[in-house]
Amino acid sequence: MHLVNLNYSFSIILFFLGLYIVLASKDSMKKLFGLSLFQTSVLWFYMSIAKVSNAKPAIISLKHNWFYSNPLPHVLMLTAIVVGLAITALGFALIINKEKK
Amino acid sequence: MTTNLAIIQIILPLIGGLIAFITPKNLSWLFSCLIMLFTFFISCFIFKETLSSEPIFYHFGGWWASIGIEYKIDQLSSFFILLTSTLSLFNLFAMKHLVASELDKERYSLFFGLYLIAIAGLLGICVSNDIFNIYVLLEVSSITSYALVASPRTVKSSKAGFDYLIFGTIGSTFILLGIGFIYALTGSLNLSIISQKITPLLDNNACIAGIMLIIVGVLMKAALFPLSKWLANIYQDSPPFIAAMLSSVSNKIGIYLLIRFFFNVFALHKHNYAYLDIILLLLAIMAIFICSILALKQTNIKTFLAYSSLSQIGFIILSIAIASDLSLSGALIYCLSHALEKSALFLAAGCFILLANKEEDLSSFSGFIKQHSWISLLFIINLLSSVGFPFTAGFVGKWQILKAALATDLWYILMMLIAVLFTFSYVLRFIELLIFEKEHVKYLDQEIISDRYGNSTIYVVAVLTILNLYIGINHDLLINQTNNIAALILK
C-alpha cells in the first residue's frame, strides 16, 4: 500500500474514533476530547491532500528550482486550528458553568 | 459603490459587534440597533440592485476568482440577506426589554456584541462564493450562537449551550471534510469553478463521499428531523429571543446552503444522484409526521414550538426534494413565512412565560385569552399561519408547494394533505387550550410586566403578524420574485 493511502486510512480511522467518543461517552470532558480528536482527523486529511510525492516543502528558493507541496491546504488548516481552539475554549467555559453547583 | 456594499454589509456588523463589546451597558442596545438598521438599509439596497440586473461581484484584494476569495450576490443570496437582516433587526428591537428577564445588566454589551457577530457570519454565508470562506463564516455564526444560547449562565442554559456546541461542531466538521474531498478533486475553492469542474467527476467515489458529507452537514445546520432531535431541548433551555433567532434565521441559512449546493453547485437534480432526492423526500416526510406527533405530546411551550418548527422544516425540505420550478419558489416563500411566524411565536412565548410568572408548562396557559386577549390573538394568528390558514403567509407557501405536487405525482398530494392535517391537530389542541379551557392560574397584570420589562416585544410581534397577513393577502409580487429566483437556479 502506498504511504499516502495509509495516511488517508489513518485519518478516517481517527475521524470515526473521535465521533464514537463524542457520541458514546457520558462525561462532558471526554466528549470534548473526542470532539478535538474528531477535528484533528480532518486536519490530518488536509495535510495528506497537500503532499506531492517527491516534493520539498513549499519554501521557494531562488537557487533551486524544485517541486514543492501544495501550500494552500496548510493555510486553510491554520484557520481550522483556530476554529478548533475557539470551540475547545468555549466548551471548557460551558463545562465550568454547567457543573457549578 | 455597489461592489463595495457587498463587503460593507458583512464588515459593518462584524466591526460593530467588536465595538459593542466596549460600549457602556446602557448604550449597547441602542448602538447595535443603529448598526443593524444600517445593515438592513444596505441589504434593501442590494436587493433592489440585484432585482433587475446582473449579480454583484467583489474580489478581496483585487485577486481574481481562481486565486482569491470572491463574494457574489445573485438573486437567491439577496433574498436570504434581506430575510436575515430584517428578522434579526426585529428580533433586536424585541430584545430591548425581554433581555432584562434573563440576563444580568453587566453582560448586555457582551451579549449584543455576540449577537451582531453572529448576524455578520450569517450574512457572510449568503454572499460568499468561496467554499472555505463559507465554512469559516458558518463557524463564526455557530460559535457565537453557542455562547448566546448559554448567555443567561444558568446550569440549564449552559447545558443546552454545550449540547449545541457538540452537535453543531459535528455538523460543521462533516462539512469541512467534505470540502476537503471536493478541493482534492477539483483543485478549487470557488463555487462557480467547482460547479464547472465537478460535472464529469460526479461518478467518482471520492466525489460521492464529499458531496454526501457536505449535504449531511448542511442538513444538520438546517435542522432536518433525525439529525436534529437534540435541537428541541436546546430551544427549551435557551432564552426565547435566542430560540427565535435560531429557528427563524440560523435554520434558514442551512436551507440556503442546501439550495445552493444541491441545485447550483453540484446540480444534483439533473442527475438523479445516488437516490439523494428520494432520501431527502423520505426524511422530510418522516420529519413532518414524527415531529407533529411529538409536538402533540409536548407539555412545555418552547419544546412545543420547537417541534412544530422542525415539522415545518420538513415541508421546506420536501419542496426542495421535488425540485421543480414551482416547488422551489414555494420553498422560498415558505422560508419567509416560517421565519416570520416562528420569530413571532417564540417572542410571544417569551411574553407568555413572563405573564405566567415564569411557568413554561402548557397547562398553565389554559384560558389565557380571557386575561390577555391581544397577545393571545397575535399568537393564534401566527399558529394558524404555520398550519397554512388562508389569508396568512403560510397559506401562500403551502399553496405553491401543493401546486408543485399536483404537477408531479398524486402521491405527494395525499402526503401533503395528511401532513397538513397532522399539523392542524397539534395547533388546534393549543388554540383550544388558550381559548376554551377554564383558567386556574392568576396571571400577572400587563401593567406589572410593562413596568418591569416594557412593551417592545408585543409591538414587534404585532408588526411581524401584520407583515405575515400582508404577505398572505398581497402575494403576487412575492410569487413573481420567487418564481424568477427559482427559474434562475434551475436553469
Side-chain angles (χ1 to χ4, degrees):
Chain A
M1 193 191 259
H2 200 271
L3 197 65
V4 175
N5 287 344
L6 204 67
N7 250 348
Y8 289 137
S9 324
F10 192 68
S11 89
I12 294 298
I13 291 170
L14 266 188
F15 185 82
F16 284 110
L17 211 60
L19 192 60
Y20 177 75
I21 294 172
V22 174
L23 296 178
S25 52
K26 298 262 187 310
D27 190 75
S28 317
M29 272 319 242
K30 281 184 189 162
K31 263 184 199 280
L32 208 57
F33 291 149
L35 203 67
S36 290
L37 194 65
F38 185 56
Q39 290 179 315
T40 313
S41 74
V42 181
L43 304 190
W44 194 299
F45 178 78
Y46 271 78
M47 293 302 99
S48 323
I49 293 174
K51 176 71 183 158
V52 177
S53 48
N54 299 325
K56 297 265 187 311
I59 302 166
I60 293 179
S61 148
L62 293 176
K63 271 188 246 159
H64 309 283
N65 188 16
W66 54 40
F67 282 124
Y68 54 88
S69 290
N70 186 358
L72 184 66
H74 296 243
V75 180
L76 299 182
M77 282 311 100
L78 276 182
T79 319
I81 289 169
V82 175
V83 167
L85 180 75
I87 286 172
T88 317
L90 182 64
F92 282 141
L94 292 179
I95 289 176
I96 291 171
N97 266 342
K98 166 167 106 104
E99 307 293 332
K100 209 159 45 187
K101 293 284 155 14
Chain B
M1 179 59 194
T2 12
T3 27
N4 288 333
L5 279 181
I7 184 71
I8 290 172
Q9 148 107 331
I10 303 13
I11 292 288
L12 196 66
L14 195 67
I15 304 278
L18 292 177
I19 297 172
F21 283 148
I22 50 169
T23 47
K25 54 182 184 283
N26 299 324
L27 290 178
S28 55
W29 178 78
L30 198 69
F31 177 75
S32 20
C33 272
L34 267 177
I35 296 279
M36 267 324 292
L37 213 60
F38 271 117
T39 316
F40 172 68
F41 285 136
I42 293 175
S43 49
C44 285
F45 183 73
I46 289 177
F47 186 72
K48 209 183 109 248
E49 282 292 306
T50 49
L51 206 61
S52 51
S53 56
E54 293 291 291
I56 302 171
F57 287 96
Y58 178 87
H59 296 105
F60 276 83
W63 293 100
W64 54 98
S66 58
I67 290 182
I69 295 173
E70 182 187 47
Y71 276 11
K72 173 186 171 190
I73 309 182
D74 56 4
Q75 293 197 3
L76 181 70
S77 313
S78 67
F79 180 81
F80 276 92
I81 288 172
L82 193 63
L83 196 150
T84 308
S85 60
T86 314
L87 279 152
S88 42
L89 181 70
F90 279 128
N91 223 339
L92 196 59
F93 286 153
M95 274 179 202
K96 181 172 192 228
H97 296 108
L98 217 52
V99 152
S101 64
E102 301 269 356
L103 260 75
D104 292 341
K105 214 161 192 310
E106 301 301 318
R107 324 205 131 264
Y108 279 10
S109 22
L110 266 175
F111 177 83
F112 289 119
L114 280 178
Y115 184 77
L116 283 183
I117 293 176
I119 300 305
L122 294 174
L123 289 172
I125 294 168
C126 296
V127 298
S128 183
N129 200 28
D130 183 280
I131 199 166
F132 196 78
N133 198 244
I134 286 179
Y135 164 75
V136 172
L137 289 164
L138 198 65
E139 285 291 17
V140 167
S141 62
S142 312
I143 294 174
T144 40
S145 355
Y146 310 149
L148 284 173
V149 167
S151 56
R153 297 193 89 196
T154 55
V155 172
K156 262 170 77 180
S157 68
S158 304
K159 232 176 215 148
F162 187 74
D163 286 352
Y164 193 23
L165 178 134
I166 295 286
F167 286 102
T169 310
I170 290 176
S172 40
T173 309
F174 268 90
I175 296 178
L176 183 60
L177 189 62
I179 292 172
F181 276 100
I182 299 297
Y183 173 70
L185 284 168
T186 59
S188 177
L189 292 170
N190 188 287
L191 289 183
S192 321
I193 297 173
I194 288 174
S195 71
Q196 286 164 15
K197 285 194 179 170
I198 205 146
T199 323
L201 294 168
L202 277 174
D203 290 330
N204 190 319
N205 274 340
C207 185
I208 295 177
I211 290 176
M212 286 303 163
L213 282 167
I214 290 181
I215 296 282
V216 168
V218 165
L219 283 179
M220 270 183 102
K221 291 286 169 195
L224 184 62
F225 166 67
L227 304 172
S228 66
K229 202 182 168 315
W230 42 276
L231 206 69
N233 300 333
I234 290 161
Y235 285 172
Q236 182 188 346
D237 292 333
S238 61
F241 37 89
I242 293 304
M245 173 205 151
L246 291 179
S247 72
S248 66
V249 182
S250 303
N251 287 352
K252 296 299 151 324
I253 298 303
I255 304 276
Y256 162 79
L257 282 178
L258 184 66
I259 295 175
R260 178 64 84 198
F261 285 128
F262 196 88
F263 296 109
N264 216 333
V265 181
F266 303 137
L268 299 181
H269 60 290
K270 287 180 189 155
H271 304 282
N272 189 18
Y273 194 66
Y275 304 109
L276 194 62
D277 47 347
I278 296 172
I279 295 172
L280 275 183
L281 206 70
L282 285 176
L283 285 180
I285 288 169
M286 248 171 68
I288 296 169
F289 285 109
I290 296 178
C291 290
S292 302
I293 294 168
L294 285 174
L296 204 58
K297 281 166 64 180
Q298 294 310 310
T299 52
N300 182 301
I301 185 167
K302 278 197 233 155
T303 38
F304 168 77
L305 291 178
Y307 276 114
S308 122
S309 172
L310 292 181
S311 81
Q312 307 287 315
I313 297 279
F315 274 108
I316 300 177
I317 305 280
L318 178 78
S319 49
I320 289 173
I322 295 175
S324 68
D325 271 19
L326 267 176
S327 78
L328 198 58
S329 120
L332 292 174
I333 298 173
Y334 211 107
C335 277
L336 180 65
S337 72
H338 177 256
L340 285 174
E341 80 213 8
K342 275 297 166 308
S343 213
L345 282 173
F346 271 110
L347 291 173
C351 289
F352 275 35
I353 291 165
L354 284 182
L355 289 168
N357 236 336
K358 301 227 167 181
E359 279 293 328
E360 297 190 359
D361 218 49
L362 275 184
S363 57
S364 59
F365 299 111
S366 53
F368 196 75
I369 200 166
K370 282 160 202 152
Q371 288 181 31
H372 299 285
S373 44
W374 274 112
I375 185 89
S376 312
L377 197 66
L378 294 175
F379 194 84
I380 287 170
I381 292 173
N382 280 302
L383 272 182
L384 287 176
S385 162
S386 71
V387 189
F389 203 72
F391 308 116
T392 58
F395 176 73
V396 185
K398 276 220 172 70
W399 185 245
Q400 198 81 348
I401 298 173
L402 201 64
K403 271 200 288 188
L406 263 174
T408 43
D409 207 338
L410 215 67
W411 261 104
Y412 293 134
I413 308 163
L414 205 66
M415 276 295 164
M416 281 284 295
L417 289 177
I418 299 172
V420 171
L421 249 130
F422 263 74
T423 34
F424 205 58
S425 66
Y426 68 79
V427 165
L428 213 59
R429 167 178 166 253
F430 193 38
I431 292 176
E432 189 247 331
L433 186 90
L434 277 177
I435 300 178
F436 296 112
E437 287 209 2
K438 271 214 188 80
E439 55 205 290
H440 45 68
V441 191
K442 183 80 186 89
Y443 302 110
L444 295 180
D445 274 337
Q446 185 65 50
E447 278 82 50
I448 300 175
I449 295 299
S450 37
D451 278 353
R452 210 183 297 165
Y453 300 119
N455 278 328
S456 63
T457 315
I458 298 178
Y459 293 142
V460 169
V461 173
V463 170
L464 287 173
T465 314
I466 290 167
L467 255 175
N468 194 323
L469 291 176
Y470 176 77
I471 291 170
I473 293 162
N474 201 347
H475 48 251
D476 293 338
L477 208 67
L478 181 71
I479 288 181
N480 255 341
Q481 179 57 20
T482 50
N483 278 343
N484 278 347
I485 297 173
L488 260 174
I489 296 168
L490 289 175
K491 191 171 61 181

